[in-house]
Amino acid sequence: MNINELIAQPEGRRLEFKGELPTNSDIAKTIVAFANDAGGDIYIGINDKPRQIIGLPENELTQIEEQISNMIYDRCYPTILPEVSFLSVEEKHLIRICIYRGSMPPYYLKEKGKLKGTYIRVGSTNKLADESIIASLERKRRNISFDSEIIMDKPASSLIIDGFKELYKEKTEEEINLQVLRKLELIKLEQDKEYPTNALILFSDDSLRKSFFPNAKIECARFKGIGTEEFIDQKSISTHIGLQAEEAYNFVLRHINKSATVEGIYTVSRWEYPVKAIREIIRNAVVHRDYSLTGKDIKVAIYDDMIEISSPGLLPPSIDYSAMESRQSDARNKVIAPVFKRIGIIDQWGNGLKLVAQELREYPEIELKWREVGLSFQVQFIKKNYKTIPTNVGDVGDVGDNVGDVGNIDNNISYNELKIIQLILHNPNITTKEIAETLGISTRQCERIIAKLKQSGKLLRKGSARTGYWEINNN
């Protein structure tokens, strides 16, 4: 990336612009925050707002470089070794300070000490780290993960893990015993007793999970329209983490459309979103979320115009969503990730993002966006051609591009009739009550619309009222 392209970038997790050398405390906070996180670059001689190349006096460059080096040495601890270089753009002189990701975190301001002087980078700002974040940085320094730490409130033999045992047997055809738990590092020896790690607590059905990790859950919601003012359906998934991803994925499938088109003699169905990619992102959210962050849960939100998945914890520095085609694997949870690989929930070779990129190529109408919001990572699957439905058609949401994908249905069909047909194409066994709840209408109104569709011959009922199914008549 050349300097002109760089200047067009917004300030963020790894980039900051300064018109002139700021006060010692201001720039020291940024340097400490970069070293504690993914590293970053500071460009001096470029104003941020408005973005403008100001430049520095050429005869002062060496003096400013010396000031920077002395300030970093005097004010930051442990020692940070920056790379300072001079650049010339449009005959103006700049200084670039490159800070690499540190190997000895937490880094902090000497005069304030570790508890009051440790900073992390959140978006384009420096945030004072609290004790839990400092603890996380100290684990990083020792190269241990939060999920590998033990809980000594109950011996491993007393922990209730029946659900996890059942799942593990189903996926691997192996029984869970103490030897397997040791091999997977789900239990560890301490003071001649074996105790569970945080990872095993999260896989358990024990009361300790709710006590230690009340927010280790997924909150799912289908909102009405494109805002959060009103929802059609919601679900809180608080089972053990081995089951959460599939439950959230099934919630998504219940609330998106599946169209059908005829190609030759075959009927071809297609989801309105790349569901394999969505499933992969949900799985990654469960596997790689930061379980040490208290009070935060995973959120799966479905709107008329997009699906949004948010997970606690920033993206690991070595993962780059802009290079999804390359194999990338960096596990925050070094015990949980191998277990998920063992039971086949995530890929062994870091192909997850590549899978997402491949399926997105088949959905040119869907745009993938990702961003870091506070201490969370968020992925959005957005309909590029979303159009708001006129208020006189109904309030259920967007018909999208599926209007022409339900066969030979005529153009006189109402909005709610079309939505019912789409729901039935997705699930021929759906009940009238489920249709009404999804559309946000009364059961009686739903029954009247279905009766009209049956009377016109567009909808057929096969079998009994209790055990039968719906069929769309395209003739």
Side-chain angles (χ1 to χ4, degrees):
M1 184 183 297
N2 64 42
I3 189 67
N4 290 320
E5 291 175 337
L6 184 76
I7 290 171
Q9 300 293 313
E11 284 193 325
R13 186 175 176 184
R14 306 184 191 193
L15 185 62
E16 185 155 300
F17 298 103
K18 299 292 183 185
E20 57 187 18
L21 185 64
T23 62
N24 282 345
S25 60
D26 187 20
I27 195 169
K29 288 177 184 177
T30 300
I31 288 166
V32 160
F34 279 164
N36 277 327
D37 188 38
D41 292 320
I42 305 170
Y43 287 85
I44 301 175
I46 302 175
N47 264 347
D48 181 36
K49 295 177 182 178
R51 186 65 55 78
Q52 184 179 5
I53 299 176
I54 303 298
L56 300 168
E58 184 176 8
N59 61 345
E60 295 182 15
L61 293 178
T62 303
Q63 179 187 344
I64 294 173
E65 178 190 17
E66 188 175 344
Q67 281 182 264
I68 292 168
S69 298
N70 289 338
M71 180 275 302
I72 294 174
Y73 181 80
D74 292 339
R75 299 179 67 87
C76 304
Y77 187 84
T79 301
I80 297 172
L81 299 175
E83 183 180 298
V84 182
S85 55
F86 303 147
L87 304 171
S88 293
V89 182
E90 300 172 1
E91 299 183 352
K92 293 179 180 176
H93 302 285
L94 311 175
I95 290 181
R96 172 183 178 242
I97 308 170
C98 177
I99 304 297
Y100 296 100
R101 180 172 42 161
S103 60
M104 299 287 286
Y107 293 88
Y108 54 90
L109 304 182
K110 282 183 183 178
E111 73 271 19
K112 292 191 175 182
K114 186 191 298 184
L115 290 179
K116 294 184 179 180
T118 300
Y119 288 85
I120 59 168
R121 194 74 172 172
V122 179
S124 61
T125 62
N126 304 314
K127 178 184 172 69
L128 185 64
D130 60 22
E131 289 187 25
S132 65
I133 293 174
I134 292 171
S136 176
L137 291 169
E138 288 176 334
R139 283 193 295 270
K140 189 189 298 184
R141 179 177 185 166
R142 303 195 307 272
N143 196 30
I144 62 174
S145 58
F146 174 75
D147 64 332
S148 70
E149 294 186 330
I150 63 172
I151 298 290
M152 299 181 67
D153 291 54
K154 182 183 286 190
S157 57
S158 302
L159 201 69
I160 300 171
I161 57 170
D162 295 343
F164 175 57
K165 285 181 176 179
E166 184 180 337
L167 175 68
Y168 194 85
K169 177 69 182 296
E170 176 191 337
K171 300 296 184 182
T172 67
E173 298 183 355
E174 293 180 25
E175 299 283 352
I176 279 281
N177 53 37
L178 288 176
Q179 185 178 354
V180 172
L181 292 175
R182 290 187 199 109
K183 184 179 178 181
L184 294 172
E185 297 187 56
L186 290 167
I187 61 174
K188 291 184 178 180
L189 190 66
E190 184 74 24
Q191 299 176 3
D192 296 326
K193 283 187 180 181
E194 288 182 308
Y195 292 99
T197 59
N198 282 323
L200 187 56
I201 300 293
L202 288 161
F203 277 114
S204 78
D205 298 309
D206 201 271
S207 59
L208 281 185
R209 176 163 58 83
K210 291 183 179 179
S211 174
F212 280 89
F213 303 106
N215 291 98
K217 54 189 173 71
I218 304 180
E219 292 293 341
C220 302
R222 170 58 169 107
F223 293 101
K224 189 173 182 178
I226 60 174
T228 58
E229 293 79 16
E230 187 177 351
F231 61 84
I232 295 170
D233 190 16
Q234 63 177 359
K235 183 175 184 179
S236 181
I237 300 171
S238 56
T239 57
H240 71 73
I241 62 171
L243 300 175
Q244 288 182 3
E246 291 310 294
E247 286 195 33
Y249 173 67
N250 288 331
F251 180 90
V252 171
L253 294 186
R254 285 203 307 273
H255 291 287
I256 63 175
N257 296 320
K258 190 176 187 181
S259 61
T261 55
V262 177
E263 296 182 7
I265 61 173
Y266 300 102
T267 300
V268 179
S269 61
R270 183 179 188 266
W271 292 99
E272 63 177 316
Y273 286 98
V275 293
K276 291 178 184 176
I278 289 170
R279 184 185 213 172
E280 188 66 31
I281 296 299
I282 293 174
R283 286 174 168 181
N284 281 344
V286 176
V287 176
H288 300 303
R289 68 158 286 180
D290 189 342
Y291 288 97
S292 71
L293 292 177
T294 57
K296 296 180 182 293
D297 47 40
I298 296 171
K299 287 184 169 55
V300 176
I302 305 170
Y303 305 89
D304 284 359
D305 62 334
M306 71 171 174
I307 294 176
E308 183 178 82
I309 299 150
S310 304
S311 177
L314 300 177
L315 194 67
S318 61
I319 298 296
D320 185 0
Y321 261 62
S322 62
M324 289 195 298
E325 293 283 2
S326 60
R327 288 193 177 104
Q328 301 181 63
S329 183
D330 187 355
R332 171 182 280 116
N333 298 306
K334 300 183 185 303
V335 178
I336 291 172
V339 175
F340 270 69
K341 288 176 182 176
R342 186 75 185 87
I343 61 182
I345 292 180
I346 61 172
D347 186 82
Q348 180 68 38
W349 301 107
N351 279 334
L353 291 182
K354 190 173 182 179
L355 243 163
V356 172
Q358 287 172 344
E359 196 185 17
L360 279 168
R361 285 201 294 270
E362 300 174 16
Y363 281 81
E365 72 275 22
I366 299 296
E367 178 184 8
L368 180 79
K369 283 189 176 181
W370 61 271
R371 58 180 181 164
E372 290 170 323
V373 183
L375 291 176
S376 293
F377 181 69
Q378 191 174 85
V379 178
Q380 297 171 329
F381 293 86
I382 303 170
K383 293 179 180 177
K384 293 179 182 178
N385 301 318
Y386 171 77
K387 295 181 179 64
T388 305
I389 299 301
T391 54
N392 62 346
V393 188
D395 294 320
V396 185
D398 171 44
V399 177
D401 295 329
N402 292 326
V403 177
D405 295 332
V406 291
N408 298 319
I409 302 299
D410 62 62
N411 293 327
N412 295 321
I413 192 167
S414 74
Y415 181 72
N416 278 340
E417 287 171 344
L418 179 59
K419 292 300 288 184
I420 288 174
I421 288 171
Q422 290 174 333
L423 288 170
I424 288 171
L425 280 170
H426 167 39
N427 178 13
N429 298 309
I430 193 169
T431 66
T432 303
K433 183 180 178 183
E434 288 172 336
I435 292 172
E437 288 175 351
T438 302
L439 297 184
I441 62 178
S442 68
T443 304
R444 180 168 293 183
Q445 183 183 355
C446 186
E447 288 170 346
R448 285 199 297 269
I449 298 170
I450 288 174
K452 182 181 176 182
L453 286 169
K454 289 168 68 177
Q455 186 177 5
S456 66
K458 296 183 178 76
L459 184 61
L460 305 174
R461 181 71 184 179
K462 300 287 186 176
S464 68
R466 175 169 294 187
T467 61
Y469 61 93
W470 300 106
E471 189 175 279
I472 304 299
N473 182 11
N474 290 327
N475 299 322

